[in-house]
């Protein structure tokens, strides 16, 4: 009988043959060069154990040379390391066997590099073989670490950090070994910075979160000596990113509570590095970020190069900062006062061929709106008022239009009652960046107002005569009760917004109208808001002396006190002024609680306190305790407003979490009342049942002011109590505050946008109304997608919300998101909304305002409170944007009421978004403009922009874009190309 054949035998034989074939193929693939290198490495390893010292030294020297040459530009695993790796245990045994000290140190250096390829596991104890690269490096011969290659530097830096943390955790760490680690740490940091890994070199000097209290000490002080001109840019970028990490994230992941001083210490080290290398413009940017007036003055004084000083003066003017420094040249004073802005702005407009005035109809493009043929154009007062705002925003700063300034126009009289205030104030917006006196219209009121604007214009160097067209004679006294004088006073403030003048024309002209007991409330409000805009962010003491008595006077009407508080907040934004804080909070405490809660303008008093501490974080703690002492809803509103303003733009994770929790709460008190009351069947189900969608929509509409109140299911007798939300709703401010805090950090802004989508679905009506405004803050003047998330598409859906106030805020938010961009997609969506809401005057008014914002400044301005690279906030613009958002929380009561002139708060946020290269005159230079790329911590020399296009200056810069010179003929005096950049000839450039 034949033996039974094993069924697995053929398969095993096949596998064996395949392995043999594969092994043979691998042997055949080894080239002659690789085979020679393998043989050479084996010979060198053998010679390392030779008895002759000279042979061992030569073998280790040759081995080191092969490794260094192979790792100098590592794109794959170096072949010497690959072929030496199997001999790693052998070389360790040779080193353990002892011998000559010089040979042992040379061998330790080689083993340190080889350990990088052999460390598959890292035990928790160092004596078990963990961090062998560091261990052998410490006993090696020393020398430049970077000579062994970039990857070795990264690996060694990581092990230094691990070893440092492990020794800190061990209570019995030996003092001498700690000193050795510190020495290796400094050595690794120096080599990394000197080679191509500056970020990795700085990393060991910045410990983990549990070491954060030590950051302000010796470790950061050890960094500047190792930084030079070749690596300063990468090190400073890394430190700036580390400061953001220290300020926001560390407090979340560690028991140590991060303080603002910790982030400031990191930035101060970066400033010290830049000042040592005489990179004064870059140091100035960081000083502006710190808002350190002393550092700003010191940097300006330390610079002895006139051109660099002038470049920093342009930067200060763009930021709205005017330090008082004695001995500066008169030219620098004029630049910091903003005298250059009109010239460059009009040069940009001339270059882009947009000097021709535009009418509101050019913006509306009503012929493209799909209206019924029977619908005739109605000349309504609200439509004319909307056209007034659109005309002012679109032609902002151009000094010419087709409505208000032409000879013989009567547009002022097409606005009724309070609308004339905004119409007269639009003259200031049109002349916001003037280069010559305005043309005088022939209509009496308008011409008198224009003459007043001319007398107060910035080009008047002598003190203007306090000529008051409304009070020069007793016959004109009766005009004080009419709206046009208030509008003219507001126009004076708008005209001087962002422009400094030693004569202070705005203060001279508006001073008489803010004294207690003088003039009408409407006239006072125009003068007060005009002062706030004229001296936005200047901290002028004369304004303090005039407005504090107005706030403290209990006989002054609440609306006037509210406007004075807002003006104080705008003028002293970020100053932490204690006297103003106490005065406003005292006014809140001394007035009746009921009157404060029923008046929507009370929010402006709270906002005035908040703006005083904008971006100041922990410095607002004392004021926060005072605000909590204010009783009722006004106190809660003031406290949350103050907290959100204090942490605006900081990206503080803990504050975002707290505010999200507050915004996500539901009004349990209202629900308990509904459950306790004998509710009718249809209406009781509307609050919670998904099937009663019509009822829920009606409830929201009733809460918002009632466009769909009939659909709420209240036909059961009309006795059901409508849910009324408080005018000063804390949840709405918390929702807006989430966006304010997260707006200064890209990742936090993206996560907040996602959270807002959930909050909008499940939040109460006040929260839902604030969500569109929060989205606008996160994406102001940035209609493009944010990492795949389209904010504009989200807002477009919200514009059809059943709640009219939510839809109104969403419409306004669309205008803010595309502000000054001329975005065609948003413009088309707004035209569709104009058709959809054609029969609802309030909604149509919001659509028209949004259309004007999209085309603001004919596309030459931005509303964003951040610079294009988002690294530096512009706090006066941020204060103006926050103020408008708070006002818009009650859009129906304020903007659609008699306080629509508050829309001119946006003038404080509108700034030219241009890049102009200049030597002594504007210079046309080719630049590349593209999307900015975050290169912090990346190896090599990565590209800083992507998807770029080449233009000739002047050019426009959008949010998130970055520019760089496309020619080597000139050198910029600052590394960040935005605003006005001074160029100098490159001495090493050789033309064709």
């Amino acid at each position: 009988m034949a033996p039974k054949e094993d069924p697995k035998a053929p398969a095993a034989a096949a596998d064996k043959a395949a392995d043999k074939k594969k092994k043979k193929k691998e042997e055949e693939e080894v080239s002659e060069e690789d085979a020679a290198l393998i043989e050479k490495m084996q010979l060198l390893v053998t010679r390392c154990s030779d008895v002759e010292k000279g042979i061992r030294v030569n073998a280790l020297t040759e081995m080191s040379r092969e490794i260094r040459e192979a790792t100098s530009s590592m794109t794959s695993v170096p072949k010497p390391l690959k072929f030496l790796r199997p001999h790693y245990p052998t070389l360790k045994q040779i080193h353990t066997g002892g011998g000559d000290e010089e040979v042992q140190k040379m061998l330790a250096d080689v083993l340190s590099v080889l350990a990088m390829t052999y460390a598959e596991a890292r035990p928790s104890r160092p004596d078990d073989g963990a961090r062998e690269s560091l261990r052998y490096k410490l006993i090696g011969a020393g020398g430049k670490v970077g000579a062994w290659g970039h990857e070795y530097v990264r690996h060694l830096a990581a092990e230094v950090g691990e070893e440092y943390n492990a020794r800190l955790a061990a209570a019995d760490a030996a003092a001498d070994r700690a000193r050795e680690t510190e020495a290796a740490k400094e050595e690794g940091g120096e080599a990394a910075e000197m080679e191509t890994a500056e970020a990795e070199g700085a990393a060991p000097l910045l410990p983990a979160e549990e070491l954060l209290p030590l950051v302000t000490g010796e470790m950061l002080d050890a960094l500047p000596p190792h930084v030079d001109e070749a690596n300063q840019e990468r090190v400073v970028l890394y430190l700036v990113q580390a400061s953001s990490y220290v300020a926001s994230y560390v407090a979340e992941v560690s028991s140590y509570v991060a303080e603002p001083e910790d982030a400031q210490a990191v930035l101060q080290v970066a400033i010290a590095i830049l000042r040592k290398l005489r990179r004064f413009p870059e140091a100035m940017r960081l000083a502006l970020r710190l808002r350190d007036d002393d550092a700003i003055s010191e940097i300006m004084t330390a610079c002895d190069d006139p051109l660099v000083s002038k470049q920093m003066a342009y930067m200060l003017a763009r930021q709205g900062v005017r330090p008082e420094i004695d001995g500066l040249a008169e030219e620098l004073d004029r630049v910091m006062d903003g005298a250059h802005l009109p010239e460059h702005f009009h040069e940009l407009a001339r270059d882009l061929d947009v000097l021709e005035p535009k009418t509101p109809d050019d913006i509306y493009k009503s012929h493209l709106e799909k209206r019924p043929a029977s619908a005739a154009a109605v000349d309504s007062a609200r439509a004319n008022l909307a056209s007034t705002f659109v005309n002012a925003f679109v032609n902002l700063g151009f000094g010419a239009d087709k409505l208000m300034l032409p000879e013989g126009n009567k547009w002022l009289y097409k606005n009724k009652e309070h609308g004339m205030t905004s119409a007269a104030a639009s003259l200031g917006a049109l002349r916001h960046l003037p280069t010559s006196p305005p043309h005088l219209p022939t209509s009496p009121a308008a011409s008198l107002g224009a003459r007043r604007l001319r007398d107060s214009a910035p080009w008047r160097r002598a003190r203007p005569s306090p000529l008051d067209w409304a009070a020069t004679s007793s016959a004109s006294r009766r005009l004080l009760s009419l709206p046009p004088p208030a509008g003219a006073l507001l126009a004076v403030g708008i005209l001087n917004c962002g422009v400094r003048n030693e004569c202070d024309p705005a203060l001279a002209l508006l001073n008489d109208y803010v004294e207690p007991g003088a003039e009408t409330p409407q006239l006072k409000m125009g003068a007060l808001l005009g002062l706030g805009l004229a001296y936005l962010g200047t901290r002028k003491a004369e304004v303090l002396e005039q407005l504090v008595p107005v706030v403290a006077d209990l006989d002054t009407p609440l609306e006037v006190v509210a406007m004075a508080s807002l003006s104080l907040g705008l003028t002293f934004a970020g100053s932490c002024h204690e006297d103003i804080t106490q005065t406003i909070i005292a006014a809140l405490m001394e007035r009746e609680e009921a009157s404060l809660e029923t008046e929507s303008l009370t929010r402006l008093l709270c906002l005035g306190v908040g703006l005083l501490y904008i971006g100041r974080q922990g410095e607002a703690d004392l004021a926060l305790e005072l605000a909590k002492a204010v009783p009722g809803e006004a106190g809660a509103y003031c406290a949350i407003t103050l907290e959100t303003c204090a942490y605006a733009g900081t990206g503080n994770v803990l504050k975002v979490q707290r505010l999200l929790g507050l915004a996500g709460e539901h009004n349990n008190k209202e629900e308990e009342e509904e459950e306790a009351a004998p509710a009718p069947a249809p209406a009781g189900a509307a609050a919670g049942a998904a099937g009663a969608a019509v009822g829920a929509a009606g409830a929201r509409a009733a809460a918002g002011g009632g466009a769909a109140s009939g659909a709420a299911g209240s036909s059961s007798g009309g006795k059901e109590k409508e849910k009324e939300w408080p005018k000063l709703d804390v949840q709405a401010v918390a929702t807006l505050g989430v966006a304010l805090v997260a707006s200064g950090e890209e990742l936090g802004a993206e996560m907040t946008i996602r959270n807002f989508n959930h909050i909008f679905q499940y939040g109460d009506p006040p929260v839902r109304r604030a969500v569109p405004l929060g989205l606008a803050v996160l994406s102001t003047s940035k209609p493009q997608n944010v990492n795949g998330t389209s904010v504009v598409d989200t807002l477009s859906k919200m514009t059809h919300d059943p709640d009219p106030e939510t839809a109104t805020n969403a419409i306004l938010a669309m205008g803010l998101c595309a502000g000054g961009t001329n975005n065609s997609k948003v413009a088309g969506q707004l035209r569709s909304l104009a058709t959809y809401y054609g029969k609802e005057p309030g909604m149509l008014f919001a659509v028209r305002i949004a259309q004007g914002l999209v085309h603001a400044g004919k596309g030459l301005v931005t509303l964003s409170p951040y610079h294009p690279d988002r690294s530096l906030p512009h706090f006066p613009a941020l204060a103006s944007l926050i103020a408008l958002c708070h006002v818009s929380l009650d859009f129906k009561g304020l903007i659609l009421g008699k306080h629509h002139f508050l829309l001119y708060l946006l003038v404080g946020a509108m700034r030219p978004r241009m890049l102009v290269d200049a030597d002594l005159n504007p210079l046309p230079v080719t630049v590349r403009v593209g999307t900015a790329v975050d290169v912090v911590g990346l190896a090599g020399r990565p590209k800083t922009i992507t998807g770029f296009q080449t233009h000739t200056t002047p050019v426009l810069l959008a949010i998130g874009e970055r520019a760089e010179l496309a020619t080597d003929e000139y050198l910029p005096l600052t590394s960040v190309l935005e605003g006005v950049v001074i160029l100098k000839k490159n001495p090493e450039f050789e033309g064709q």
Side-chain angles (χ1 to χ4, degrees), residues 6-25:
D6 186 2
K8 296 183 179 180
D15 292 340
K16 188 175 181 179
D19 292 341
K20 187 175 181 180
K21 183 177 181 181
K22 183 178 180 181
K23 186 176 181 180
K24 184 178 180 181
K25 183 178 181 181

Side-chain angles (χ1 to χ4, degrees), residues 740-757:
L740 289 176
V741 175
S743 61
E745 197 262 320
E746 196 70 35
L747 182 60
E750 180 185 351
M751 297 304 296
T752 302
I753 290 173
R754 296 181 181 178
N755 285 327
F756 274 171
N757 291 331

Side-chain angles (χ1 to χ4, degrees), residues 15 32 68 90 103 121 161 206 345 372 422 463 468 470 626 659 664 717 844 860 900 941:
D15 292 340
E32 294 182 1
R68 289 180 178 180
T90 304
V103 176
L206 287 176
F345 182 76
S422 296
R463 173 171 288 278
D468 185 356
L626 291 175
L659 295 172
L844 184 59
L860 305 188
H900 39 72
R941 303 296 175 189

